[in-house]
């Protein structure tokens, strides 16, 4: 009882936005941690919940709300409050997101917002925001706008001086990186590679020459081709981590080299979205590469079909060599 009284005494001092919609920490915590069967039983024995209030509950703005990437417990109290109090929730897949909202007894209306209709939806969403509504945006999993719909809407809102509020939470890339064991002081998030084979190879060539850890999203049906292409660009000996089903029952972190990964996954067809992390190239940025090294890199790129200018650009970006020096060497080797 004493603990409860201290919590009640502390509640008024919480930093709460100017709105009428506030879920107490005690209520949110119990909703998030109580077993699902008990919550369903409790819901069935009580009257049906009231519909969301039509009064403004949050400051007007676009709220980018991160949602669980697998385990429904991985959602913040702030995210739950925003989802409950918003006027509408934009959702990549309303059926998928409906399960999350039902799990937490959130009744806010859902509106589909995905890559096939976002341009069509944007004018009406901007109008609602200008009229003072609070709009929440979620993706199927993780942080919206990161390899998911939302980037363009956030840009439009920023351009029109509409508040864009991040509600941080799960992200597959950061979650995988934190547990990978690969260097995390510097990394490049690439996301999904282009579908066109040549564009895909070009992007891998750029990544292969970066010193930072490279992070990719790979669909399960594309893992075999990705590993073949990656080994061709990075080399068989480069270390990698393949993370799948993160936060779920069958979570897996596979560790080894790209060559070993090709062997291990040659006969496997994994399920679920996959995050692949590849070790950066070990090049000292303070050491000027030798001409022999630059020549080797240029010849290798040209043999793979790159133009002279593209090969010069890739080598320059991956080393501390000056572009004019690399270009002069390329002209001596290959002419114009």
């Amino acid at each position: 009882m004493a603990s409860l009284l201290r919590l009640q005494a502390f509640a008024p001092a919480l930093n709460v936005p100017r709105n009428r919609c506030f879920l107490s920490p005690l209520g949110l915590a119990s909703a998030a941690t109580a077993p699902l069967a008990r919550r369903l039983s409790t819901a069935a024995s009580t009257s049906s919940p009231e519909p969301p209030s039509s009064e403004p509950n949050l400051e007007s703005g676009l709220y980018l709300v991160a949602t669980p990437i697998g385990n429904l417990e991985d959602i913040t109290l702030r995210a739950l409050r925003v989802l409950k109090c918003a006027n509408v929730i934009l959702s990549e897949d309303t059926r998928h997101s409906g399960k999350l909202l039902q799990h937490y007894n959130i009744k806010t209306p859902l509106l589909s917002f995905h890559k096939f209709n976002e341009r069509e939806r944007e004018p009406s969403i901007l109008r609602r925001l200008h009229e003072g509504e609070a709009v929440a945006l979620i993706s199927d999993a993780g942080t919206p706008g990161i390899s998911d719909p939302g980037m363009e809407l956030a840009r439009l809102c920023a351009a029109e001086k509409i508040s864009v509020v991040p509600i941080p939470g799960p992200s597959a890339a950061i979650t995988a990186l934190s547990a990978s064991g690969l260097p995390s002081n510097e990394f490049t998030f690439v996301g999904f590679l282009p579908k066109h084979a040549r564009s895909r190879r070009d992007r891998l060539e750029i990544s292969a020459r970066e010193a930072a850890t490279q992070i990719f999203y790979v669909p399960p049906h594309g893992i075999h081709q990705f590993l073949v292409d990656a080994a061709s660009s990075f080399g068989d000996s480069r270390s990698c981590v393949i993370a799948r089903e993160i936060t779920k029952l069958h979570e897996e972190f596979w560790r080894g080299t790209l060559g070993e990964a090709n062997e291990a996954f040659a006969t496997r067809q994994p399920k679920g979205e996959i995050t692949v992390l590849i070790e950066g190239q070990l090049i000292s940025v303070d050491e000027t590469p030798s001409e022999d090294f630059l020549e080797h890199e240029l010849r290798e790129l040209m043999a793979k079909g790159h133009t002279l200018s593209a090969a010069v650009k890739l080598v320059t970006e991956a080393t501390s060599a000056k572009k004019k020096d690399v270009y002069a060497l390329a002209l001596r080797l290959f002419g114009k």
Side-chain angles (χ1 to χ4, degrees):
M1 177 62 73
S3 298
L4 180 59
L5 290 175
R6 284 198 298 272
L7 178 60
Q8 291 173 334
F10 175 68
L14 293 174
N15 182 20
V16 181
R18 290 185 289 112
N19 59 62
R20 298 187 180 90
C21 183
F22 176 67
L23 304 181
S24 72
L26 195 61
L28 280 173
S30 62
T33 59
L36 178 59
R38 192 173 73 199
R39 290 199 298 274
L40 292 176
S41 174
T42 302
S45 63
T46 60
S47 57
S48 58
E50 295 180 4
S53 170
S54 60
E55 296 178 341
N57 294 316
L58 290 171
E59 297 290 340
S60 176
L62 176 66
Y63 292 79
L64 305 178
V65 183
T67 54
I69 57 177
N71 191 317
L72 291 182
E73 293 180 0
D74 294 333
I75 191 166
T76 68
L77 300 181
R78 186 181 178 206
L80 291 173
R81 179 176 61 80
V82 169
L83 292 177
K84 183 174 181 64
C85 298
N87 296 100
V88 65
I89 299 173
L90 306 180
S91 167
E92 192 174 2
D93 183 338
T94 55
R95 291 172 299 178
H96 178 84
S97 299
K99 298 175 183 178
L100 173 68
L101 301 191
Q102 183 180 21
H103 186 74
Y104 287 105
N105 198 30
I106 295 173
K107 304 299 181 181
T108 307
L110 283 168
L111 181 66
S112 65
F113 185 80
H114 46 71
K115 64 181 180 180
F116 300 110
N117 72 356
E118 58 182 327
R119 290 299 177 88
E120 176 188 342
R121 294 278 199 209
E122 284 166 354
S124 61
I125 294 169
L126 289 173
R127 184 170 62 251
R128 295 179 70 161
L129 287 164
H130 279 300
E131 291 173 353
E133 290 193 6
V135 176
L137 171 63
I138 61 177
S139 64
D140 284 348
T143 303
I146 309 299
S147 287
D148 276 320
M151 178 190 69
E152 182 63 20
L153 180 60
R155 187 191 68 80
L156 290 173
C157 287
E160 298 198 19
K161 309 301 182 185
I162 296 171
S163 178
V164 179
V165 184
I167 309 297
S171 167
I174 301 302
T175 304
L177 178 64
S178 68
S180 68
L182 295 177
S184 58
N185 57 312
E186 184 179 0
F187 60 90
T188 299
F189 173 69
V190 181
F192 291 102
L193 289 173
K195 292 183 178 180
H196 188 268
R198 178 61 182 271
S199 298
R200 188 167 61 246
R201 286 195 299 269
D202 287 348
R203 187 63 188 84
L204 285 171
E205 292 291 345
I206 293 173
S207 290
R209 285 165 171 76
E210 291 190 14
T213 299
Q214 304 293 296
I215 306 176
F216 303 88
Y217 285 164
V218 182
H221 64 270
I223 186 63
H224 298 140
Q225 188 61 52
F226 174 86
L227 291 174
V228 170
D229 292 342
S232 176
S233 297
F234 288 81
D236 285 336
S237 61
R238 193 77 69 93
S239 294
C240 69
V241 175
I242 300 174
R244 51 177 294 273
E245 298 287 87
I246 302 175
T247 77
K248 297 181 181 179
L249 179 62
H250 300 292
E251 176 181 273
E252 177 187 15
F253 281 84
W254 185 96
R255 296 173 174 87
T257 66
L258 283 170
E260 293 168 342
N262 267 298
E263 294 180 9
F265 284 84
T267 57
R268 290 182 58 184
Q269 184 54 63
K271 297 180 180 180
E273 296 294 341
I274 299 170
T275 303
V276 179
L277 306 95
I278 303 179
E279 179 185 33
Q281 188 176 42
L282 301 177
I283 294 180
S284 172
V285 296
D286 297 326
E287 181 181 345
T288 302
S290 66
E291 187 170 294
D292 288 343
F293 175 81
L294 295 175
E295 178 179 342
H296 174 269
E297 294 294 291
L298 287 169
R299 289 189 183 281
E300 188 175 276
L301 288 169
M302 295 290 284
K304 291 181 178 180
H306 290 278
T307 64
L308 186 142
S309 60
V312 169
K313 182 175 184 293
L314 289 169
V315 172
T316 302
E317 290 177 346
T319 68
S320 59
K322 295 180 180 179
K323 185 176 182 179
K324 65 177 183 179
D325 296 336
V326 178
Y327 188 69
L329 175 60
L331 287 179
R332 291 205 310 271
L333 294 173
F334 307 107
K336 295 184 178 181

